[in-house]
């Protein structure tokens, strides 16, 4: 029996919908900035870059909160995402 094909995802459309949602929610709430926890993982990286497209890097407050047992590579990845998106990353270590 043939395997079912993977569902098609129109990534350009998905990006437009998500960016529009973020803009609309900020406008609806009267807020001008987004706050994002940036772990260095793929999910927070995607969220950060969508946020930059929605509000601009100057309106994104990104925070990494590494614990003592966190992988140093995760924090390095978070810094790389911030550099790629052109936004500042605040690091607040927890112990």
């Amino acid at each position: 029996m043939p395997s079912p094909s993977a569902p098609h995802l129109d990534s350009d459309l998905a990006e437009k919908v998500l960016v529009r949602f973020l803009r609309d929610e900020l406008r609806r709430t009267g807020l001008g900035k987004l706050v994002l926890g940036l772990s260095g993982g793929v999910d927070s990286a995607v969220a950060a870059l969508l946020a930059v497209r929605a509000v601009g890097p100057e309106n994104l407050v990104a925070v990494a909160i590494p614990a003592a047992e966190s992988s140093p590579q995760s924090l390095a990845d978070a810094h790389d995402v911030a550099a790629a998106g052109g936004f500042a990353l605040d690091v607040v270590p927890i112990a």
Side-chain angles (χ1 to χ4, degrees), residues 63-84:
V63 182
I65 308 173
E69 60 275 356
S70 296
S71 165
Q73 187 59 53
S74 292
L75 185 56
D77 291 343
H79 280 287
D80 289 345
V81 170

Side-chain angles (χ1 to χ4, degrees), residues 9-94:
L9 172 66
D10 184 338
S11 58
D12 290 335
L13 178 60
E15 177 187 346
K16 287 177 187 173
V17 168
L18 291 169
V19 167
R20 185 178 330 121
F21 170 78
L22 291 171
R23 285 182 185 148
D24 289 349
E25 283 301 299
L26 284 176
R27 192 174 308 115
R28 185 184 67 77
T29 59
L31 300 173
K33 293 186 182 252
L34 290 173
V35 177
L36 176 80
L38 189 59
S39 68
V42 173
D43 53 349
S44 66
V46 170
L49 296 177
L50 287 169
V52 166
R53 291 185 180 138
V55 300
E58 68 281 359
N59 292 313
L60 177 60
V61 177
V63 182
I65 308 173
E69 60 275 356
S70 296
S71 165
Q73 187 59 53
S74 292
L75 185 56
D77 291 343
H79 280 287
D80 289 345
V81 170
F87 58 88
L89 176 64
D90 293 325
V91 179
V92 182
I94 56 175

